[in-house]
Amino acid sequence: MYFSNMVTVCLLGFGSVNFHLATAFIASKKVTINCIYNRSEIELPKDFKDILFTTKLTEIPKADVYIIGITDDAIQSFSNSLPMSNELIVHTSGGVSIHNLNKKNRRGVFYPLQTFSKSSKIDFNKIPICIESEHINDTELLIRLARTISENVQIVTSQEREKLHLAAVLVNNFTNHLFTLASEITKDNNLDFSILQPLIEETVHKLKTLTPLEAQTGPALRNDKKTIEKHLLLLQDEQQRKLYKQLTQSIQNIHGKKL
Amino acid sequence: MYFSNMVTVCLLGFGSVNFHLATAFIASKKVTINCIYNRSEIELPKDFKDILFTTKLTEIPKADVYIIGITDDAIQSFSNSLPMSNELIVHTSGGVSIHNLNKKNRRGVFYPLQTFSKSSKIDFNKIPICIESEHINDTELLIRLARTISENVQIVTSQEREKLHLAAVLVNNFTNHLFTLASEITKDNNLDFSILQPLIEETVHKLKTLTPLEAQTGPALRNDKKTIEKHLLLLQDEQQRKLYKQLTQSIQNIHGKKL
């Protein structure tokens, strides 16, 4: 029997996640992308010019793995609309259960735990890829596929994955929003946001030696009421004052202090 | 006239900030620490054994700069209690005005914009040091002193500094607290917090090419109500649900959407 290491992949949808996955698969040279499907015509970047592109579901060729990379809300109905059956169909979402995929195909999840913007280059090598499937053979194939681009491949159930996704929202989306609020403050005072960059980097760097619980510092932890009051006066927006109070209280709750 | 490049410094208080400053001054070889004062006896680390240590204010020798590194609340009364006059006395706090220092001395601020834990090693070179004083000669001396340990020295007024300190609380204290909440979620689900590390690093890395406003992604920005509802169900603590809602709303406000 001839055993090929090459995995043939078909990408369904071409948003940020599938764009970055495709870039990594091509670089790995161990994966063949035999088709990119998208519901509307798109201008493919140069590296993808040689790959079959279609907007018609009926033109999708056979592949080892079909990877859905579309918005969470659309995954279920899109998987219902697929013409093939008994194929391995995976989605790439942190927040969608494996059971949202239609049962006529073998279902799976291929979730890279990362934030993707098309303009930000991604090195996949350290990115955890969270795998789920319903058959041991499919799990093995997905692990093999994931290992072509990352050394951090983990089996994660739908239940675990939704918790991970929640945690990811906290450390990425919400953290980034705090950066946004801070950048508004620096902008409003003609200061350069980059002055905060070393502090931001140290905040993350500390996690290598301390747990975040141990690394906590600041007026909330010290229950330094004077500083807290001053900061509330400096914030001009009622919404932001509420948020500041809420975060201060949450720090004090978890560290066992009372306001 | 003999002009010495050496600046003589006396450290008043030996908490995290002065410990890290002292370490950096010693490494620079351009600063002489002639005394460490602390109100209580402490065990000095090995590198500081040769420096005069005292718990008596009256025993403090003359120095070019006296650096107060004590808790914010105590700075004012401590500066009132100092026996010398017309000396250059600076504090290191982000949240305390220069006017909280007693006028009998020349007042200044030497604020390294960073978070300090005694156990985490600090490379000062990139850390912004925010300088303030009331006399041009003192400003020049403080800039010279700051440049012995950092290439990022900025003149920042008390008014600007309090805004910076607020921004620092957002990007450091509050961000670290979001990491803490995420680590609780992973712990409760027998997942390793380190699985989030690449995501956290990318969240910061993105700031090199995008503003945080541009880098925002996630269910709040997409107004993905299904995911937001699911996350609120997953959070077991009313306090944390409130915080999630508050942050979601704040993202939507700043990006011009309605819940």
Side-chain angles (χ1 to χ4, degrees), chain A residues 177 180, chain B residues 212-214 216 221 250-257:
Chain A
H177 180 58
T180 305
Chain B
L213 199 73
E214 292 164 342
Q216 191 65 52
L221 183 75
S250 184
I251 290 173
Q252 299 191 331
N253 281 359
I254 222 159
H255 289 271
K257 290 183 180 182

Side-chain angles (χ1 to χ4, degrees), chain B residues 45-102:
Chain B
K46 220 177 67 193
D47 292 349
F48 307 99
K49 291 283 187 203
D50 293 338
I51 300 171
L52 170 70
F53 175 85
T54 180
T55 60
K56 297 203 178 69
L57 290 172
T58 50
E59 284 180 1
I60 296 171
K62 214 168 156 58
D64 296 324
V65 187
Y66 300 77
I67 301 180
I68 299 177
I70 63 176
T71 183
D72 286 10
D73 276 353
I75 290 172
Q76 184 155 24
S77 64
F78 178 73
S79 95
N80 292 340
S81 74
L82 289 172
M84 66 288 270
S85 61
N86 204 31
E87 299 292 343
L88 177 54
I89 311 273
V90 303
H91 72 66
T92 53
S93 162
V96 174
S97 164
I98 193 171
H99 300 110
N100 285 27
L101 294 171
N102 190 298

Side-chain angles (χ1 to χ4, degrees), chain A:
Chain A
M1 195 182 97
Y2 174 71
F3 179 76
S4 160
N5 267 315
M6 274 284 178
V7 182
T8 304
V9 161
C10 170
L11 300 173
L12 306 176
F14 204 62
S16 278
V17 178
N18 269 357
F19 164 76
H20 284 291
L21 278 179
T23 307
F25 286 145
I26 288 172
S28 84
K29 297 188 176 142
K30 289 179 187 157
V31 178
T32 306
I33 301 171
N34 72 352
C35 173
I36 294 171
Y37 158 89
N38 201 63
R39 68 175 167 176
S40 57
E41 289 286 348
I42 44 171
E43 178 73 28
L44 284 182
K46 220 179 68 192
D47 292 349
F48 307 99
K49 291 284 189 202
D50 293 339
I51 300 171
L52 170 69
F53 175 83
T54 180
T55 60
K56 296 202 179 72
L57 290 172
T58 50
E59 285 180 359
I60 296 171
K62 214 168 158 55
D64 295 326
V65 186
Y66 299 77
I67 302 181
I68 300 176
I70 64 176
T71 182
D72 286 10
D73 276 353
I75 291 172
Q76 183 156 25
S77 64
F78 178 74
S79 96
N80 292 339
S81 74
L82 289 172
M84 67 289 270
S85 61
N86 204 31
E87 299 292 344
L88 177 53
I89 312 274
V90 302
H91 72 66
T92 52
S93 164
V96 173
S97 164
I98 194 171
H99 299 111
N100 284 29
L101 295 170
N102 191 298
K103 274 201 288 196
K104 71 188 169 189
N105 283 294
R106 285 142 48 216
R107 305 181 287 191
V109 179
F110 192 93
Y111 169 50
L113 182 44
Q114 188 51 282
T115 169
F116 297 98
S117 300
K118 269 204 174 153
S119 59
S120 187
K121 245 186 151 181
I122 295 280
D123 173 13
F124 261 94
N125 203 32
K126 304 284 177 200
I127 296 178
I129 297 188
C130 306
I131 295 296
E132 183 178 11
S133 94
E134 298 177 309
H135 306 282
I136 177 75
N137 290 349
D138 292 340
T139 302
E140 280 170 6
L141 179 58
L142 291 176
I143 289 175
R144 186 147 69 91
L145 179 63
R147 286 204 178 134
T148 65
I149 55 174
S150 170
E151 48 189 56
N152 188 351
V153 180
Q154 311 211 15
I155 295 176
V156 173
T157 66
S158 282
Q159 238 184 341
E160 290 167 336
R161 189 160 33 80
E162 66 180 10
K163 305 282 173 54
L164 262 189
H165 186 237
L166 168 60
V169 165
L170 300 181
V171 303
N172 170 250
N173 303 157
F174 289 171
T175 289
N176 183 72
H177 180 58
L178 293 173
F179 297 163
T180 305
L181 296 179
S183 76
E184 302 272 307
I185 293 169
T186 50
K187 200 174 66 188
D188 290 348
N189 294 281
N190 295 316
L191 296 158
D192 199 313
F193 179 60
S194 68
I195 199 174
L196 294 168
Q197 189 76 20
L199 176 62
I200 290 173
E201 282 168 17
E202 174 64 13
T203 307
V204 172
H205 183 71
K206 267 191 182 178
L207 299 178
K208 296 203 191 277
T209 49
L210 299 169
T211 68
L213 199 74
E214 291 164 344
Q216 191 66 51
T217 58
L221 183 75
R222 293 195 306 271
N223 197 19
D224 173 353
K225 286 179 187 151
K226 242 195 215 162
T227 303
I228 293 168
E229 283 307 317
K230 196 203 273 178
H231 285 175
L232 290 172
L233 284 172
L234 290 177
L235 288 166
Q236 290 167 3
D237 181 304
E238 179 54 28
Q239 164 85 37
Q240 288 175 15
R241 275 194 292 274
K242 262 195 203 165
L243 187 56
Y244 186 102
K245 279 185 209 165
Q246 206 64 249
L247 281 157
T248 296
Q249 216 181 354
S250 185
I251 289 172
Q252 298 190 333
N253 281 359
I254 223 159
H255 290 271
K257 290 184 179 179
K258 287 255 184 300
L259 260 176

